[in-house]
Amino acid sequence: MDNEKYRKKLIKLLQNCCVPSDSLHFSSIVVMKDGTEFFGVNVKNSVFRDAIYAEQSAIGQAVTSGYKKGDFEKIYLMVGSASISDLKYLDRAVICEFFEDNKEVVCMNLFGQGVTLEVANLYSSIFNY
């Protein structure tokens, strides 16, 4: 039930991506333990050099609002394509920095298909789905 609710929000967020150099759109929603939600999309420039990942954007908003490690409950990530394996580009380091090891990372494609991982397993997971 929650995944479908968040899938719809993530699809809407994909429209806000700024990706002039390619077609890979990503969106993210971070849910805090108190129920507050923060949203993020990927932002790239046209020379391929610098990028802000969707999860960096959402986590950054939470931190800017005063949240700290231990306050994060769950993160949802969506790639705007049919290929869930495109999420291999996610920023595992920033997620691991703020989320406890047992928290869920819900990864999905545009159609809601995907996988739920624990933060502790992010580095050992290979996105070949």
Side-chain angles (χ1 to χ4, degrees):
M1 177 91 170
D2 272 352
N3 283 3
E4 181 60 20
K5 174 180 109 174
Y6 285 105
R7 186 182 78 84
K8 290 177 181 178
K9 289 181 178 186
L10 289 162
I11 287 171
K12 189 172 182 178
L13 282 171
L14 288 172
Q15 299 171 26
N16 298 336
C17 294
C18 178
V19 289
S21 56
D22 65 32
S23 60
L24 278 178
H25 294 68
F26 298 94
S27 59
S28 177
I29 300 173
V30 169
V31 182
M32 310 310 292
K33 288 183 178 176
D34 68 6
T36 303
E37 298 174 352
F38 293 95
F39 308 99
V41 297
N42 60 327
V43 180
K44 297 180 180 181
N45 65 25
S46 57
V47 294
F48 300 104
R49 196 172 61 193
D50 298 320
I52 299 169
Y53 290 64
E55 57 276 19
Q56 291 172 334
S57 176
I59 291 169
Q61 286 182 46
V63 171
T64 300
S65 296
Y67 290 93
K68 306 214 178 323
K69 182 169 185 150
D71 296 333
F72 292 79
E73 181 61 31
K74 194 176 218 178
I75 185 167
Y76 292 87
L77 297 156
M78 176 177 275
V79 59
S81 73
S83 179
I84 190 70
S85 68
D86 286 335
L87 282 168
K88 65 187 172 208
Y89 299 112
L90 67 85
D91 188 342
R92 292 169 175 87
V94 76
I95 294 170
C96 291
E97 181 71 26
F98 291 97
F99 282 81
E100 297 162 305
D101 285 348
N102 66 335
K103 297 304 176 188
E104 290 184 341
V105 180
V106 180
C107 302
M108 63 182 80
N109 66 8
L110 194 56
F111 307 106
Q113 302 161 324
V115 62
T116 299
L117 305 167
E118 282 194 354
V119 170
N121 298 327
L122 279 180
Y123 281 103
S124 62
S125 297
I126 299 174
F127 289 94
N128 290 327
Y129 306 107

